[in-house]
Amino acid sequence: MTLAMIGLLFVAGFLSGAVNAIAGGGTFLTFGALTLAGLPPISANATSSIAQFPGYVTSTLAYRHEIAKMWRGAVVLTIASLLGGLGGALILLALDNPSFRAMVPWLLMAATALFAAGPLLKPKASEERATNSLPSILGQFLTAVYGGFFGAGMGIMMLAVLGLTTGGGYHHLNALKNLLATVIAAMALLVFIGGGVVGWPQAVVMIPAVAAGGWAGVWLARRVPQTIMRVLVVAVGIALTIYYFVTD
């Protein structure tokens, strides 16, 4: 890698961590930068997942007290997340790069639309229901398949599904979402690492950058309106979608 490319990956990782801390959607930045770095689509997707993983872990730790109160009820959804994340990652590895490349613009378009609609999909507080109902298990399994396969917009999708199927207050749902997202990402990473599709030099540059950006994002969150960050992320998503539609 050239110094310019290392700089691009670091800046993209830093901004991704900051954006995730404020509004979410950092995957668009890491995936786009890794694509510009020349990684094939499958490798760019897998490497982006590696770079984002520490953020899932720290978000889960931040909700450790809430999770301690609910973990027994979340066991079934955790199993569904493991199976779904495994299935999604294996589906990705079963494809070749041209096949996945043809799907990328459609996935990006859907993820961008999902992210843009995020405020409308934010669940309202409601009575908490059993997490082991058939709709909640099925909904979480399908969300996990998507998360293992691509991942952009997974958090918003999961919040919406959990809000509909399990109910509860926002922080209850967000804690559950963070726990399950960590499980999905961990399973996908094991598959990606085993499949040898991770671009490790690029990941080594991005991981500390994402961590630093997440730390700085707390400072930025107090000064930059979330709406501005959301507009920027949507703009990046639209630009990436157009890029993948018009290029071979």
Side-chain angles (χ1 to χ4, degrees):
M1 288 186 294
T2 64
L3 286 176
M5 188 54 64
I6 291 173
L8 171 66
L9 293 175
F10 189 90
V11 170
F14 182 88
L15 292 176
S16 171
V19 165
N20 279 339
I22 300 170
T27 301
F28 291 110
L29 299 175
T30 52
F31 181 77
L34 289 165
T35 298
L36 291 176
L39 288 183
I42 290 177
S43 183
N45 186 39
T47 307
S48 178
S49 297
I50 289 277
Q52 297 293 336
F53 183 68
Y56 290 127
V57 175
T58 54
S59 297
T60 300
L61 291 175
Y63 273 111
R64 60 189 179 277
H65 297 301
E66 288 82 358
I67 291 171
K69 299 175 184 177
M70 70 170 73
W71 74 268
R72 293 181 186 274
V75 169
V76 175
L77 292 185
T78 299
I79 294 172
S81 297
L82 284 169
L83 295 175
L86 174 62
L90 289 175
I91 292 171
L92 177 66
L93 291 191
L95 299 174
D96 54 25
N97 274 296
S99 298
F100 182 64
R101 171 65 178 77
M103 299 173 66
V104 165
W106 299 99
L107 290 167
L108 285 170
M109 184 170 63
T112 302
L114 186 66
F115 186 79
L120 300 176
L121 298 175
K122 184 176 179 180
K124 297 179 181 178
S126 62
E127 182 180 351
E128 189 176 329
R129 300 183 292 278
T131 58
N132 58 357
S133 66
L134 181 59
S136 64
I137 295 171
L138 181 59
Q140 182 57 32
F141 175 77
L142 294 175
T143 303
V145 170
Y146 171 80
F149 183 77
F150 191 57
M154 175 181 67
I156 295 170
M157 183 188 299
M158 202 182 311
L159 270 180
V161 172
L162 290 172
L164 289 172
T165 60
T166 70
Y170 175 75
H171 289 293
H172 167 85
L173 293 171
N174 206 33
L176 185 58
K177 179 263 293 182
N178 287 335
L179 170 65
L180 299 177
T182 302
V183 170
I184 294 166
M187 178 57 72
L189 293 188
L190 290 175
V191 175
F192 295 151
I193 292 171
V197 295
V198 178
W200 286 111
Q202 292 83 359
V204 167
V205 173
M206 275 194 155
I207 288 172
V210 172
W215 182 270
V218 176
W219 181 86
L220 289 170
R222 298 189 178 99
R223 294 163 175 82
V224 180
Q226 190 177 100
T227 301
I228 293 177
M229 299 305 296
R230 184 172 294 279
V231 169
L232 290 175
V233 170
V234 170
V236 171
I238 292 173
L240 282 174
T241 300
I242 294 171
Y243 171 81
Y244 271 98
F245 268 123
V246 300
T247 59
D248 295 326

